[in-house]
Amino acid sequence: DVSCPKSRATLVADAGRLFGGKLDIFVSNVGFNIRKPTVDYTPDEYRRLMDTNLEASFALCQLLHPLLKQTGNAAVVFNSSVSGLVSTQSGAVYAM
C-alpha cells in the first residue's frame, strides 16, 4: 500500500537491495478514483485519495532519490490521467 509511509520505506529498502543500491528509472503509475460527485466525498475518502494519488508519488520520488542519483543519468516518469485535461464526470478530486 503506497499510501502508507511504512510500506513505502520497505519498498525503497527492498529496491535498494534488489538493484544493488541504484535505480535507472522510477515510473509512478499509482492512482485510484472514487466515482461520485465531489460534494459527496467524505474527509476520509478525500484523504485516502490524496495520500495514494499525490502524496505517495511525491514521497517515493524523495525516498528513491539516493538510488536514482547513483546512476548519474536516471529518469523519473509520472503518469497521469486524461481527467486532468478533460472532464470525465467522475469527481474533480481525482483530477487534481
Side-chain angles (χ1 to χ4, degrees):
D1 180 2
V2 293
S3 69
C4 173
K6 190 174 185 179
S7 295
R8 291 191 296 255
T10 300
L11 175 68
V12 171
D14 290 349
R17 278 190 301 277
L18 184 63
F19 298 111
K22 63 182 180 177
L23 288 178
D24 294 318
I25 189 166
F26 167 54
V27 178
S28 180
N29 192 40
V30 64
F32 80 98
N33 191 10
I34 301 169
R35 296 185 186 276
K36 65 183 190 179
T38 301
V39 297
D40 293 337
Y41 272 71
T42 67
D44 284 340
E45 289 171 332
Y46 173 81
R47 194 172 307 105
R48 189 172 60 125
L49 195 92
M50 289 293 112
D51 285 350
T52 301
N53 296 4
L54 181 64
E55 171 66 21
S57 293
F58 177 77
L60 280 169
C61 194
Q62 284 187 317
L63 290 169
L64 290 168
H65 181 260
L67 301 177
L68 293 161
K69 193 174 174 182
Q70 290 300 313
T71 66
N73 193 26
V76 175
V77 178
F78 289 98
N79 286 332
S80 63
S81 171
V82 70
S83 294
L85 300 173
V86 177
S87 174
T88 58
Q89 308 270 323
S90 66
V93 176
Y94 175 74
M96 291 177 156

